[in-house]
Amino acid sequence: TRQQFLQFRAIAKQSTTPHLHIMASPHTPTRLSVIVPIKVSKRATTRNSFKRLAYDSAWKILQDKNLDCIIMFKPIALTKGPESEKIVHAELQSVIF
């Protein structure tokens, strides 16, 4: 719920990259959420592919860390393709705690 999100945001460690805003806090078991706003792309298929990309990349990193993590894409237009995938993957690698 919105109330739970606001409470989480108040205690979470936050980190920002050019395309992502990441919030994380200790929690057992590990949970992951990805938010891709319409401003990133108006096409649902593109937004869904970015969600899948973020889930696949982040889950490999977070699996053993016992964190609650929310990954929010910033409303900057990205195009679906290998260059965007490399950017997102690199940003996740460098920021996830």
Side-chain angles (χ1 to χ4, degrees):
T1 64
R2 177 142 179 88
Q3 185 66 26
Q4 290 171 326
F5 174 74
L6 293 174
Q7 289 173 347
F8 173 78
R9 194 170 75 177
I11 62 169
K13 182 178 178 185
Q14 300 186 22
S15 193
T16 304
T17 67
H19 296 96
L20 303 172
H21 181 79
I22 300 171
M23 296 181 279
S25 130
H27 186 272
T28 303
T30 299
R31 297 187 300 183
L32 176 63
S33 178
V34 178
I35 301 167
V36 183
I38 290 178
K39 288 184 180 181
V40 170
S41 174
K42 292 190 186 291
R43 302 191 68 139
T45 55
T46 303
R47 292 192 311 272
N48 290 341
S49 70
F50 284 128
K51 283 183 187 180
R52 283 192 300 274
L53 171 67
Y55 275 116
D56 290 343
S57 299
W59 192 249
K60 292 174 187 173
I61 300 167
L62 290 173
Q63 216 164 13
D64 300 327
K65 296 198 178 193
N66 293 330
L67 290 175
D68 243 354
C69 186
I70 297 176
I71 301 170
M72 297 188 318
F73 279 71
K74 289 183 177 178
I76 299 171
L78 287 172
T79 56
K80 189 174 165 181
E83 288 186 27
S84 294
E85 290 179 12
K86 289 178 186 176
I87 291 169
V88 171
H89 186 68
E91 289 181 6
L92 286 171
Q93 286 278 349
S94 68
V95 173
I96 291 187
F97 319 106

